[in-house]
Amino acid sequence: MPIFATKDNLPSQLIDQLRTARQVVVLTGAGMSAESGVPTFRDAQTGLWAQYEPEELATPEAFRRNPRLVWEWYAWRKQLVNQAQPNPGHYALLAFEQHLPKFTLITQNVDGMHQRVGNTNVIELHGNINRFKRFNDNVIVESWADNGEVPPRCPQTGQLLRPDVVWFGEALPSKALSYAFEQAAACDLLFSIGTSGMVHPAADLPAVAKITIEINPDKTMLTNSMTYVLQGASGEILPALVKATWPRTGLPE
Ligand code: OAD
């Protein structure tokens, strides 16, 4: 049975474990960016796209059927993400990296927020919405002429471009995935933050770790198997955890 707590009664045993940890792994999901104003993946689609399910848009079949629609949906999400600012939870995870001997940040998010605040060892399991590749052979393309064609084409081969994100039914980057499982099995503590734990294989990572901590305002598929469950928003709980563990850490408000 997990130990349940909130930001106001963080377990002293957890704080000691974090302060003395040699190696910590964090797995983040869309909830990590919710306080930056980026809708989580299972929020109802807002505005122009309300009539679509993400599953109708984030697949190779959807792209083959209507490449313009899929490209424009990602362009909308990219603009949303790039307009958003990192929140205190992102900065708290930078403090984790600065204080811990070894810190691995595994993210399901494609928004690049962890890198924007300065985290370095970031493993992107589902790709990055700001990176593009050829649809036919997955070769990354850095730039192309903006001739108004949507989606744009590779300047070398003329092949259609797509976002470098993992779509439903596609395999995750195998090197990133095996490294993630290796780190999860080796670490002293694994935090699962802002994820519903509904999508595998990312959701299988906590199961291989010794001590696990979930940070989420709601219960998830993983809650009952956790060692600790810190109930609340990551943008509030993570700064409180950093202040309790490393009191002299300055965090941006
Ligand atoms: P979900 O939308 O499935 O879950 C978001 C989680 O964040 C939920 O459990 C919320 O309760 C929680 N949450 C909301 N606000 C929060 C906050 N302020 N602080 C902490 N947690 C909060 O998103 P993911 O679990 O990330 O895959 O979804 C996993 C994958 O499913 C995504 O990466 C995407 C999707 O299919 C691909 O794109 C391949």
Side-chain angles (χ1 to χ4, degrees), residues 28-36 39-43 54-55 58 74 77 87 107-110 125-127 165-170 172 193-200 202 214-221 232-236:
T28 59
M32 189 73 215
S33 298
E35 288 155 274
S36 297
T40 65
F41 212 87
R42 284 167 184 80
D43 273 354
E55 288 76 1
Y74 277 94
R77 283 182 61 193
N87 67 63
T107 189
Q108 300 173 90
N109 300 339
V110 297
L125 290 184
H126 294 162
V165 298
V166 174
W167 281 341
F168 288 97
E170 291 186 319
L172 274 62
I193 305 173
T195 181
S196 58
M198 291 171 70
V199 172
H200 298 267
E214 179 169 74
I215 298 180
N216 198 313
D218 302 334
K219 282 191 183 301
T220 74
M221 313 278 280
S234 48
E236 293 174 12

Side-chain angles (χ1 to χ4, degrees), residues 21-58:
R22 304 292 311 146
Q23 187 173 349
V24 169
V25 165
V26 165
L27 169 68
T28 59
M32 189 73 215
S33 298
E35 288 155 274
S36 297
V38 180
T40 65
F41 212 87
R42 284 167 184 80
D43 273 354
Q45 293 297 316
T46 52
L48 181 62
W49 304 95
Q51 72 272 37
Y52 293 98
E53 282 302 313
E55 288 76 1
E56 290 174 74
L57 293 163

Side-chain angles (χ1 to χ4, degrees), residues 133-148:
K133 61 186 182 182
R134 290 196 295 247
F135 180 70
N136 68 312
D137 61 8
N138 293 323
V139 168
I140 298 291
V141 174
E142 308 264 326
S143 62
W144 54 85
D146 182 3
N147 57 12

